[in-house]
Amino acid sequence: MMKKMKLFWRRQDRIETEENKIGEGHYGNVYRYQEENGHQYAIKILIEEKRQSKEEKEERMRLFIAEKEIMKSINHEFIIKYFDSQSVQSKLGPNTIWIAMEYADAGTFERFIKDNKDNDDHPGFRQE
């Protein structure tokens, strides 16, 4: 899989498009990427904030890397799978960090909570 992922990182021009953008978070944008064989990935890209101080940028990078390490260490059927990460020379800037992870088309966790906030019977809210 690592050889495959190395080829994948070279396809950034087909990833960073508005059409592929599926969300944005605290650190940056998330894009959907589909390979020719139909396999899909979600790509989270750390975007550097120009207005931040050097210390703020370093802290943001540290937290992003910590999130990546946590994702990498977890293997559970209900947690999005981590595949790879890379520092990429991107149109967003030098040394932009990308994380490739499992693509889940069920929407965001935030949307799930909002849609089911009054549904105590949903399996996701049951306490055993």
Side-chain angles (χ1 to χ4, degrees), residues 81-113:
K81 289 176 181 47
Y82 165 92
F83 291 119
D84 196 12
S85 60
Q86 185 91 12
S87 178
V88 175
Q89 178 70 31
S90 163
K91 66 183 177 184
L92 298 173
N95 300 321
T96 303
I97 295 182
W98 291 27
I99 297 176
M101 58 194 138
E102 177 181 27
Y103 174 73
D105 62 1
T108 66
F109 184 64
E110 180 181 22
R111 177 85 265 147
F112 172 82
I113 296 295

Side-chain angles (χ1 to χ4, degrees), residues 16-120:
E16 292 178 277
T17 66
E18 278 304 310
E19 179 182 290
N20 289 335
K21 188 174 176 183
I22 56 175
E24 33 187 276
H26 178 71
Y27 300 113
N29 298 327
V30 180
Y31 298 88
R32 181 184 59 82
Y33 173 69
Q34 183 169 327
E35 293 182 327
E36 290 80 16
N37 67 7
H39 189 84
Q40 296 183 76
Y41 297 94
I43 309 298
K44 184 182 278 191
I45 302 175
L46 174 65
I47 296 176
E48 187 176 279
E49 295 288 333
K50 303 283 186 216
R51 297 175 298 237
Q52 290 181 323
S53 69
K54 181 180 177 188
E55 292 80 19
E56 290 171 321
K57 287 178 185 178
E58 287 173 355
E59 177 65 6
R60 185 180 169 127
M61 176 72 75
R62 187 189 69 73
L63 292 171
F64 190 75
I65 291 171
E67 178 182 344
K68 174 195 75 129
E69 291 301 318
I70 290 168
M71 288 178 68
K72 197 173 174 180
S73 71
I74 297 173
N75 184 16
H76 191 277
E77 65 181 310
F78 297 128
I79 304 292
I80 296 293
K81 289 176 181 47
Y82 165 92
F83 291 119
D84 196 12
S85 60
Q86 185 91 12
S87 178
V88 175
Q89 178 70 31
S90 163
K91 66 183 177 184
L92 298 173
N95 300 321
T96 303
I97 295 182
W98 291 27
I99 297 176
M101 58 194 138
E102 177 181 27
Y103 174 73
D105 62 1
T108 66
F109 184 64
E110 180 181 22
R111 177 85 265 147
F112 172 82
I113 296 295
K114 286 179 181 177
D115 290 348
N116 291 283
K117 66 181 178 197
D118 298 323
N119 185 0
D120 292 337

